[in-house]
Amino acid sequence: MNFRFTEEQSMLRDMARRWVAERYDLKRRKAAAAGGFDRAAWADMAEMGWQGVALPEAAGGSAGGAVETMIVMEEIGRGLMVEPYLPTAVIAPAALMLTGAAADDARLAAIAGGRLVVAFAHDEPGLRDPAAPRRTRAVPVGDGWRLDGAKSVVRAGAEADCLLVSAAMPEGATGLFLVDATAPGITRTGYPTLDGMTAAEIAFEGTEVPAAALLAGAADAILAALIDRAIAAELAEALGVMERLKAATLDHLRTRRQFGQEIGRFQALQHRMADIHIACEEARSMVIMATVALDEDDVLARARAVSAARLHVAELAMHVGREAIQLHGGIGMTDEMIVGHGFKRLKVIAAGMGGNDLHLDRFIATTEQSNAA
């Protein structure tokens, strides 16, 4: 299989990488994190077409796909950007398109133009498995629906304009709603997270929404596809963070002097740097595999590939993060060094979307089902 980028994809990568290198330094990241995210950076991203890479041209997008999303997410990771690209530009548009709600929908155009921020309100207290039945409930009321329940660790949940909400339907399936974040009955409590980003606890208490808010009433298969897309995109982000830590560590080894020479001249440290490079290349292969699998018609093959990549990349990411910290010495975890921020982001990614145990179980189960078929 040919994994080379097209000319257009290479241009997208080069443009994104150049912008991150020139416009998004650690100082800007810290300032953005203090306010949730950088609205000016978000507008710049929209102007460059990042939010629309996977959206149809009719909505102001460039009609790309999973590969273009992977390219942008890697550069977002390389810059350690805190902007809510994953929920807004990856998960929400996919939900609108997979549910058929995207036809003549101005919301896609608003996402592409950077005018709409969406949070994915799916995780719930006490539920680690993203595929488990939701405890948030939706019941019909008049011409619409009433939502009751709680969502936890909702990325950019306090800053979002809309919430993409999963809820248990009366017949037992999982419904998917797109809800105005300021609707009566919604309480949002925002807080900073370990990795310098923001999340929110969100409560729905008799929140009434119109019938049009329901995107799909039996959305279990769609949710599974959304979660796999989110995992693959977040793995691409992790790859970008790993590459950033690799570059920072290599620069440190070339400039830090001890015993009258650069410490990068010591063979033991060269071997460890080589291990970091190999880990990054392995992670890149797994990210590509997961990204390509998103277009698989075989749901089991897609799930197996994504879980396999999730398991391996999480392990590789933590290895690169620890090595980067150790090779920098005591200064590695200080707030002034990018490696400490990167390690925290990798740690959060590695713990998210169900964790390693869940994906190991899913990989084994999908493999057994495929073999039995």
Side-chain angles (χ1 to χ4, degrees):
M1 186 177 292
N2 182 7
F3 290 126
R4 292 186 177 182
F5 291 148
T6 65
E7 183 178 351
E8 291 78 11
Q9 290 167 345
S10 296
M11 290 173 61
L12 173 64
R13 178 200 60 199
D14 295 343
M15 175 268 294
R17 187 168 300 179
R18 183 168 55 251
W19 186 88
V20 167
E22 295 176 355
R23 304 287 297 277
Y24 207 95
D25 57 11
L26 182 55
K27 181 179 179 181
R28 186 169 190 176
R29 181 185 198 266
K30 291 179 181 179
F37 67 95
D38 188 327
R39 297 279 177 173
W42 188 249
D44 286 347
M45 293 163 67
E47 186 175 347
M48 292 183 289
W50 292 14
Q51 285 93 320
V53 292
L55 273 62
E57 293 180 355
S62 52
V67 173
E68 285 76 13
T69 298
M70 176 189 73
I71 290 170
V72 174
M73 284 297 295
E74 181 180 346
E75 300 313 317
I76 285 174
R78 196 183 299 270
L80 284 170
M81 299 178 68
V82 301
E83 283 61 43
Y85 187 86
L86 177 65
T88 299
V90 179
I91 299 175
L96 289 169
M97 291 187 282
L98 290 174
T99 58
D104 300 321
D105 196 333
R107 289 173 292 193
L108 283 180
I111 289 172
R115 301 185 301 277
L116 184 67
V117 175
V118 184
F120 185 37
H122 180 65
D123 288 344
E124 298 185 359
L127 290 181
R128 281 189 55 79
D129 185 351
R134 299 296 94 181
R135 294 169 181 165
T136 299
R137 307 198 66 80
V139 296
V141 175
D143 294 331
W145 296 86
R146 189 186 73 224
L147 301 177
D148 290 280
K151 299 294 182 177
S152 62
V153 200
V154 180
R155 169 84 186 278
E159 297 83 21
D161 304 305
C162 288
L163 304 174
L164 183 64
V165 184
S166 55
M169 302 294 283
E171 65 275 13
T174 303
L176 199 57
F177 296 81
L178 189 62
V179 179
D180 184 344
T182 62
I186 296 178
T187 302
R188 299 186 285 173
T189 306
Y191 52 87
T193 53
L194 171 70
D195 53 357
M197 298 188 176
T198 61
E201 302 298 298
I202 300 180
F204 299 89
E205 299 177 2
T207 303
E208 295 190 11
V209 299
L214 178 63
L215 300 183
D220 297 87
I222 291 172
L223 273 167
L226 292 179
I227 291 167
D228 281 343
R229 287 171 184 261
I231 292 171
E234 207 164 56
L235 294 181
E237 181 189 354
L239 174 61
V241 178
M242 293 165 68
E243 290 285 359
R244 179 69 179 274
L245 297 192
K246 181 181 77 172
T249 304
L250 182 59
D251 183 65
H252 178 72
L253 296 184
R254 286 172 171 169
T255 56
R256 177 81 167 98
R257 295 181 63 84
Q258 195 168 4
F259 304 114
Q261 60 182 325
E262 296 85 1
I263 61 174
R265 291 181 177 273
F266 298 121
Q267 191 174 55
L269 300 189
Q270 291 175 2
H271 289 167
R272 294 176 71 174
M273 195 67 225
D275 286 342
I276 290 176
H277 176 72
I278 292 170
C280 289
E281 291 304 304
E282 287 184 18
R284 183 173 300 281
S285 296
M286 297 302 290
V287 169
I288 292 172
M289 180 191 74
T291 301
V292 171
L294 295 177
D295 293 326
E296 284 274 2
D297 293 329
D298 186 341
V299 175
L300 290 177
R302 183 195 73 207
R304 186 170 63 253
V306 170
S307 283
R310 168 64 178 73
L311 283 165
H312 196 44
V313 173
E315 180 182 348
L316 293 168
M318 294 308 297
H319 170 70
V320 169
R322 293 189 186 101
E323 285 292 279
I325 293 294
Q326 291 183 15
L327 290 173
H328 275 79
I331 64 172
M333 284 301 291
T334 61
D335 197 48
E336 290 73 26
M337 300 296 292
I338 194 68
V339 291
H341 295 269
F343 178 67
K344 291 172 185 176
R345 180 62 188 141
L346 291 176
K347 194 172 183 64
V348 170
I349 292 175
M353 295 294 181
N356 284 355
D357 290 345
L358 180 143
H359 284 283
L360 179 59
D361 290 342
R362 189 170 83 144
F363 176 76
I364 294 172
T366 52
T367 300
E368 291 174 347
Q369 292 176 52
S370 295
N371 291 339

